[in-house]
């Protein structure tokens, strides 16, 4: 919940698992989410700032490509999830 792009990450998740989202959009979002989560990537996440920067860039690029399919309900679900995470952590 403390990542600067956590809301975008969760928005992509909710869009990718929405039954109304077209398959090609789901594929792009899932690929970007997998790149973010999996330890195998171009710049290792061990290099904190650099490692997360390439992950964020991949996610943001995917979000820009599919922005027409991201609906307000996806953003609202992401915000609610973040609020729950922050509430349970604090």
């Amino acid at each position: 919940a403390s990542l600067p792009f956590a809301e975008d990450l969760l928005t992509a998740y909710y869009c990718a698992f929405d039954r109304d989202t077209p398959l090609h959009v789901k594929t792009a979002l899932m690929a970007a989410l997998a790149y973010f989560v999996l330890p195998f990537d171009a710049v290792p996440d061990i290099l904190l700032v650099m490692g997360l920067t390439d992950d964020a860039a991949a996610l943001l690029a995917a979000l820009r490509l599919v922005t027409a399919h991201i609906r307000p309900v996806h953003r609202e679900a992401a915000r609610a999830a973040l609020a729950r995470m922050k509430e349970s952590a604090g």
Side-chain angles (χ1 to χ4, degrees):
S2 62
L3 289 172
F5 50 91
E7 185 177 322
D8 292 325
L9 184 64
L10 284 169
T11 298
Y13 171 84
Y14 285 110
C15 183
F17 285 97
D18 185 336
R19 293 170 45 165
D20 296 329
T21 301
L23 183 59
H24 70 281
V25 173
K26 289 181 179 192
T27 302
L29 290 172
M30 292 307 292
L33 289 169
Y35 186 79
F36 179 78
V37 173
L38 295 174
F40 316 106
D41 68 60
V43 180
D45 293 340
I46 294 171
L47 305 172
L48 291 176
V49 175
M50 295 273 301
L52 289 178
T53 301
D54 75 313
D55 293 351
L59 178 62
L60 293 175
L63 286 172
R64 284 197 179 112
L65 287 172
V66 300
T67 192
H69 299 282
I70 293 175
R71 299 181 320 186
V73 68
H74 301 140
R75 292 227 178 261
E76 291 167 14
R79 287 184 189 119
L82 279 174
R84 286 190 305 273
M85 284 181 216
K86 289 178 182 177
E87 200 173 277
S88 67

